[in-house]
Each structure stands twice: as C-alpha cells, then as structure tokens.
Amino acid sequence: MARKYFGTDGIRGRTNEWPMTAEIAMKVGQAAGAYFLRGKHRHRVLIGKDTRLSGYMMESALTAGFTSVGMDVVLVGPMPTPAVAMLTQSMRADLGVMISASHNPFADNGIKLFGPDGYKLSDEAEAKIEKAIEASPKLAAAEQIGRARRVDDAPGRYISIAKSTFPDHLRLDGLRVVIDCANGAAYKVAPDALWELGADLIQMGVTPNGININDKVGSTAPAALQAKVLETRADIGIALDGDADRLIVVDEKGQIVDGDQLMALIACSAARDQTLKGDGIVATIMSNLGLERFLWSQGISLHRTPVGDRYVVEAMRAGGYNIGGEQSGHLVLSDYATTGDGLIAALQVLAELVTRGEPASQMLKLFDPLPQLLKNVRFTGGQPLEDEKVKKVIAQAEKELEGKGRLVIRKSGTEPLIRVMAEGDDEAQVNEVVDRICDAVRKAA
C-alpha cells in the first residue's frame, strides 16, 4: 500500500504546504501520541529540532497534538537527530520526535519519529499512525491533558555520550580540525565535544539565523570546507548536515572523502581490533562497487539494502552487524547509536588519525572507486518510471552493463526527484547510459 504521509525518512515537505503544515503536525502529534499510549503510567514524548525558522511553528503544533491526547512533552530545543534518539531511550520517553528536513533547504521541514528504544519506527507502525492521522482523535479529559516543559541539560548529556565513544587513552591535542555544522542542529554540541577533547578548532556554519541552514555550508556543500582546510592548513575537515546524522570528511589536501571510504576505514579498524560483528558491514545499493571489492579483499562481506538509513539499521539488527551506512555519509555504528550520527562517526575517524599518525589523505584512501555518476531529474507529477519508453531504455541499459557495472534508478523518498545512478569499469559508457535514461525520464515527466 502506498504511503500518503511518510517517505523514506519520516514526513517531509515545504513549510506551510501539504503535508508540512501546522494542522497536519498537530494531527501527527495526536495520532502518534495515541499510538504510544500503552499502559497506565504517565506517558512522555521528547521533541527536538534543528535551526529552521519553521521549527518553532512545528514544535508548537506537535506539542498541542501530543498534550491534547494526554501525553507529556519534553522539549530539548536544537539537537542532532541521533541525540534525540539517544535521549528518548535514556530519559525513558515513550516516543521521540525530531523536527528537521536534514540536508534540505530551510524552507522545507520534516517530522521523524523514534520508538522508546531509540530506533526509527517500522513501516507497519507508520502505516497505523498514517491511518490515525485522518481519523477523529480521542481527546483526553480536561484533567488528563499533558504538560509541556523544556530541559536545559540535553546538550551536555549528548556531549558526554559522544565523548565516551572516543578512546580514553587518546586526545586530539595538536590536531587542527575544521568543523562545519551547516548552521544546523549540531552548531553547539559538535564544536564543544571536539574542543573538550583537545582539538585546535576552526569553526564554520555555527551562526544559525533560521534561514541559513545548509546554505553553502555543510556536508552537501563542502566547497567552503575544502577552501577553509587549505587556507588554515588544517589536518582534516569535518562537515555535518542540518540535523547532524550525516558526515563528509575533507583531507588536508582539500579532497572530499565520502561515506564509502569512511565505512571502509572504520570496518578495517574494527576487524583489526576484533570488534567487527557479523564479519561484514551493511550499505545501500548506492555504495560504490569499489567498496564491495575492497572489503572482499579484506575478508569482509558487504550486505546491501534499499536507500535509507532506516533500512540499513533494520538489516544490521537482523544480521547482527555493528557497522553500516550510506555513501552520502550516514554512518551507523550500533555499538554507540541507534541511527546515523555524524559526530560519533567523526570521532572514530579522528581516533584512527591520531593512532596511525598518517596524513588524512593517506589514511582515507583505501580503494579506487569505480566510475560512478548520479543525476537527478525533477518532475512535477505522474509516474515517469512507469512510462513504457522509459522502461525500454532502462532495460537496454541494464543489458549493456551486465557483468561490467550496476544501474540503480529510484524515486526519491524526500523530494520530487528521479535519481539515476550507474557505475562500471568504463566511464564513458557510464556517462552515456545515465544521460540516455535521464533524457527519457524528462520526456516522460
């Protein structure tokens, strides 16, 4: 059954347009609150947000929805998505909510839900909440309406948890690190954690004003970080996205290091330390074939999932793996967190940098990726992937790449885009195949 509200990562859209309106947010609060009203204890929901201007509106609407069905609300303010997941569990909340559209522009916003165990909800749970959104809510009696309060120590709690994942015997003293927080949710906690561990810190993207989140800064716009690393002669650069569940690294030469290389590093380090579980890692269909071949050469398997860190986490839990992620920089280290955490992943990379004493450019180049090209085609309606001409072009491309590469075509779960990706040993063939499919999709759209 097609889902009306939830995409691959919660509910997301342009603010004040369906489904990202205050009215829908209140209904989500009522539906999700009612779903988690189990047992006779006093129920609570923990709500965090990033730095978008619309966060205030969505926070208030969600609070109204939750309290109206009898659930108490704990507001933690701007916090990374993984911090909300952690605090939901540690503060014994029945439900966690993150208000964020991650790497999207400020005009978008989103609602992500976490269960009491700190994990994102299953498709089944989201389907039940969707059904309840359009039903009449069962409102609490006047004396049973929930209460709302803010807590001030949430950042300190998260910083303490994040720092505990860094080896006790190591320090970052003498290491020059540029940190780019995308003017997003981690603008306070990430620099504080790195500074407390001893880093010589250069900060970027730490002056949010409500509309500059992800604006020419952060993991999806790393050019500014590359320039700053070179300008300051830093040892390494770290870029997070708007809700800090994503990480991209820049080495001392200004070269971008994506999630595939980072997963390779962390997996090999875990294998060396005999802490790798499941004898492999989990990645999505978008990860480069070069990563798979490299891991195989190291005796490490790669299990692939559909795109979305929730599917990575599901596969990790099912297979007993403790390392997973996406090429885009969502890195899930389940020994420490229940979802992607850019800061914790960065700390593991920095620990290796200190331990090995090598330049980042040398340490982070573990394999040569195969030529890969990803292009997006925006569409305004319809189902262009169901067009017979598009299907024919895709089938022909798959035949041409058989045995020499891969083709991944999918509809984005967060934006009105068709994503077309191909990779293979022949770069010219990869480029031609992607362009041909994109042309067909544009005509159909």
Side-chain angles (χ1 to χ4, degrees):
M1 182 181 73
R3 299 195 290 183
K4 183 175 180 180
Y5 296 95
F6 288 91
T8 57
D9 197 14
I11 303 171
R12 192 176 298 188
R14 188 174 178 84
T15 304
N16 275 346
E17 295 179 11
W18 189 95
M20 202 43 55
T21 65
E23 179 185 11
I24 295 296
M26 185 179 71
K27 290 182 177 180
V28 170
Q30 291 173 328
Y35 180 78
F36 281 93
L37 286 175
R38 305 165 184 172
K40 296 183 179 181
H41 65 280
R42 192 69 190 175
H43 295 78
R44 72 163 52 163
V45 55
L46 185 143
I47 301 179
K49 61 182 180 179
D50 64 23
T51 57
R52 295 165 205 272
L53 180 63
S54 58
Y56 294 98
M57 177 182 78
M58 304 306 289
E59 180 185 63
S60 297
L62 282 162
T63 299
F66 282 116
T67 55
S68 73
V69 297
M71 184 170 274
D72 290 340
V73 176
V74 176
L75 301 168
V76 299
M79 289 287 285
T81 288
V84 170
M86 289 178 185
L87 294 172
T88 296
Q89 185 179 28
S90 68
M91 295 181 70
R92 296 181 65 185
D94 299 276
L95 172 66
V97 180
M98 179 63 183
I99 304 168
S100 175
S102 190
H103 59 278
N104 287 24
F106 89 95
D108 292 345
N109 216 329
I111 301 171
K112 303 179 184 182
L113 303 178
F114 296 90
D117 57 0
Y119 286 95
K120 292 181 180 179
L121 302 188
S122 66
D123 288 344
E124 180 183 5
E126 289 184 346
K128 291 180 179 178
I129 292 172
E130 275 209 351
K131 187 176 181 180
I133 289 173
E134 299 188 336
S136 297
K138 182 180 179 181
L139 300 179
E143 67 275 11
Q144 296 297 322
I145 290 174
R147 302 172 185 270
R149 65 184 175 92
R150 292 190 179 274
V151 297
D152 297 323
D153 66 342
R157 292 190 187 205
Y158 173 65
I159 290 171
S160 179
I161 293 172
K163 285 170 57 182
S164 71
T165 70
F166 192 79
D168 290 337
H169 64 284
L170 297 180
R171 292 279 299 173
L172 298 178
D173 298 321
L175 198 68
R176 180 168 290 187
V177 180
V178 181
I179 175 69
D180 180 354
C181 296
N183 290 318
Y187 77 100
K188 287 184 178 179
V189 293
D192 284 356
L194 294 173
W195 183 84
E196 290 175 16
L197 287 169
D200 178 4
L201 209 59
I202 299 105
Q203 300 182 41
M204 298 175 55
V206 292
T207 55
N209 61 14
I211 61 175
N212 63 356
I213 187 171
N214 301 315
D215 185 12
K216 299 183 179 65
V217 287
S219 63
T220 52
L225 176 62
Q226 291 175 280
K228 182 63 71 173
V229 167
L230 293 174
E231 174 194 335
T232 59
R233 297 184 180 179
D235 298 298
I236 195 169
I238 295 167
L240 308 175
D241 66 339
D243 67 338
D245 64 353
R246 181 183 299 199
L247 166 71
I248 291 294
V249 169
V250 170
D251 67 25
E252 84 283 358
K253 295 181 179 179
Q255 301 171 125
I256 295 172
V257 183
D258 67 14
D260 283 349
Q261 296 282 359
L262 299 179
M263 280 190 284
L265 173 73
I266 294 172
C268 287
S269 299
R272 177 199 66 207
D273 297 338
Q274 298 184 333
T275 59
L276 183 66
K277 298 176 183 176
D279 295 324
I281 70 170
V282 179
T284 75
I285 54 176
M286 300 302 288
S287 279
N288 196 277
L289 190 56
L291 170 64
E292 186 171 352
R293 291 176 178 176
F294 169 76
L295 291 175
W296 182 258
S297 73
Q298 303 299 307
I300 301 172
S301 62
L302 176 66
H303 177 76
R304 292 186 184 269
T305 73
V307 173
D309 64 334
R310 60 180 297 168
Y311 301 115
V312 171
V313 172
E314 287 175 3
M316 290 173 66
R317 298 178 75 184
Y321 301 97
N322 63 338
I323 296 174
E326 298 186 274
Q327 185 185 65
S328 60
H330 285 115
L331 302 182
V332 184
L333 308 177
S334 63
D335 288 342
Y336 310 124
T338 58
T339 187
D341 191 313
L343 175 58
I344 287 180
L347 290 176
Q348 311 319 302
V349 173
L350 292 174
E352 278 298 298
L353 192 62
V354 172
T355 299
R356 298 190 185 196
E358 302 171 350
S361 58
Q362 180 178 334
M363 183 186 78
L364 294 170
K365 183 71 172 181
L366 283 88
F367 66 90
D368 292 320
L370 269 67
Q372 185 184 81
L373 180 63
L374 169 65
K375 287 191 176 182
N376 298 319
V377 181
R378 186 168 293 273
F379 67 101
T380 55
Q383 299 291 334
L385 293 183
E386 299 301 316
D387 185 272
E388 290 302 321
K389 292 182 179 178
V390 173
K391 288 182 177 181
K392 185 176 180 180
V393 171
I394 292 173
Q396 178 61 34
E398 289 176 333
K399 185 177 180 181
E400 293 171 12
L401 287 173
E402 188 174 1
K404 298 180 291 183
R406 297 188 309 126
L407 183 65
V408 178
I409 302 168
R410 66 183 184 89
K411 182 180 177 181
S412 170
T414 58
E415 300 176 82
L417 299 172
I418 301 297
R419 304 193 190 279
V420 181
M421 188 277 282
E423 66 179 356
D425 296 308
D426 186 336
E427 184 173 7
Q429 182 184 36
V430 166
N431 294 341
E432 192 277 329
V433 161
V434 170
D435 288 341
R436 192 193 325 158
I437 295 172
C438 286
D439 287 342
V441 171
R442 287 191 193 94
K443 291 176 183 178

